[in-house]
Amino acid sequence: LFLCILLTGCGGNPPKPLSSQSPPGSTLNSQAPSASAAAKATPSKSIQAETTPTVVTEEVFKKLCSQELKGRVMGQSGNTKAQEEICGLFKALDLKPYKEGYLDPVFVNSTKRGASTVIMRIPGENSLTLARSADYSIAPGKAYDGKYRVVYQAPANPDEKTLLIVDESNDQNDSTQNNPNTGYIHPQSRLYKSYQRGAAPALQMFLDPTLITKLKAYDGKAYLDVMVEESPDIQTTDGNNVIGLIPGKSHESCLILSAHYDGIHNDTAALDNASGTYTLLRLAERLRNAYKDTSPDFDILICAFDGEERGLIGSAFFAEEVKKTYKHSLAINLDCVGLNGDDSYMVIGNTQRDSGFINELYGGLNAYGLKNVPGLESYQSDHIPFADAGIPAVTIGERDILSFIHSEQDTADKVDPAELDKLSQMVAEFVTDKAVNYIK
């Protein structure tokens, strides 16, 4: 298991402890609506249950989980092969390219980046110069220069080992209440990842747990030295979203259907998130069949996002583009679904703003016999950048996943492809019958 260090940039208020923080666009669901409280949906005749896939078969799921793709880690060869696989399926499904082609480049460090140096200094140990991209990513700008002291803080959740980083380069006050440059170290899990509003984190690092143990042991005496040089003329593509389109009657509104295809380890990354990617592809096939002889009222964007595991990078880039292109939008993201055994589906989103949308999807889960539970606070996934942009957005995912994801145990046998097919049918029904009521 790798751990993630997030240091927020200068300015703004310090983040609150995760126990009390509701991330942007993700308000805690106080309870999962029951079949009586949510919309009492029944399976739609417009999306036939007996639809047999001819393009997106279970072999596609096996391919996504294969050793050939090596976990689909951003920037590595397995990720590129996954892009090629998804592009081929989009073409076979006759999805239109969103731009000139299906690939839409994304960048880890904004659109421009320059040289940087990050040195880990631990008492009694040799200084360790970290490698960019492999060990960390950082936004350009001298504002992030400085010395960051590592201080241990007791975790709000007994199962989590939380460390606090204080930036002493701009503020000598160790009080997190007064220091605007504060971030958290914690396990690299979407349930606990800190996320800076409106953008990927300024500095993100992936460290071996033995190094985290050393940092904790030298509480208050270990430092990160960060030096950044701006080179605005340098631009590098770090990854690619894969975007397909089912054109609508109107191009002023759109529905974004998404899942991230990248993983975090050179393992199968089956549950996280070959499961969501396969469901997205199966959903695309259902919708292509449903709109064979007609068009939806709105554009449908089928989005396989890159860089979710590195800080929601692909979705953050695309959310900005959607906001500029469309007047009205809606987003449904699929992440960690189809867990073999007892289900624990959640619909995570802003329950204060989008309760009708969320309850409608809970009603669909009930109608299809998919057991569901209250949505967790801090479930960080690719709906967040869209919610931050003011677009109604949710993630459908399962709660009981932490013992599998981001580990060698995240294997294909943990996922039930038949259940993924059922979930794709449920979402397809929402798209054809109900989505138009919530696109705004």
Side-chain angles (χ1 to χ4, degrees), residues 1 21 38 64 109 123 125 143 163 167-168 213 263 320 338 354 379:
L1 179 66
Q21 181 183 15
L64 291 170
N109 304 298
E125 301 282 343
L163 299 174
D167 179 0
E168 295 187 329
T213 300
E320 293 181 10
D354 304 322
Y379 194 100

Side-chain angles (χ1 to χ4, degrees), residues 366-394:
N366 287 327
Y368 279 86
L370 297 170
K371 183 180 176 183
N372 48 81
V373 297
L376 288 176
E377 184 178 14
S378 301
Y379 194 100
Q380 301 295 283
S381 192
D382 283 319
H383 68 291
I384 292 290
F386 295 96
D388 283 350
I391 297 169
V394 299

Side-chain angles (χ1 to χ4, degrees), residues 14-27:
K16 299 176 182 178
L18 292 175
S19 59
S20 62
Q21 181 183 15
S22 293
S26 182
T27 303

Side-chain angles (χ1 to χ4, degrees), residues 60 203 214 218 267:
V60 171
L203 174 63
K214 291 179 180 179
Y218 291 104
D267 300 315

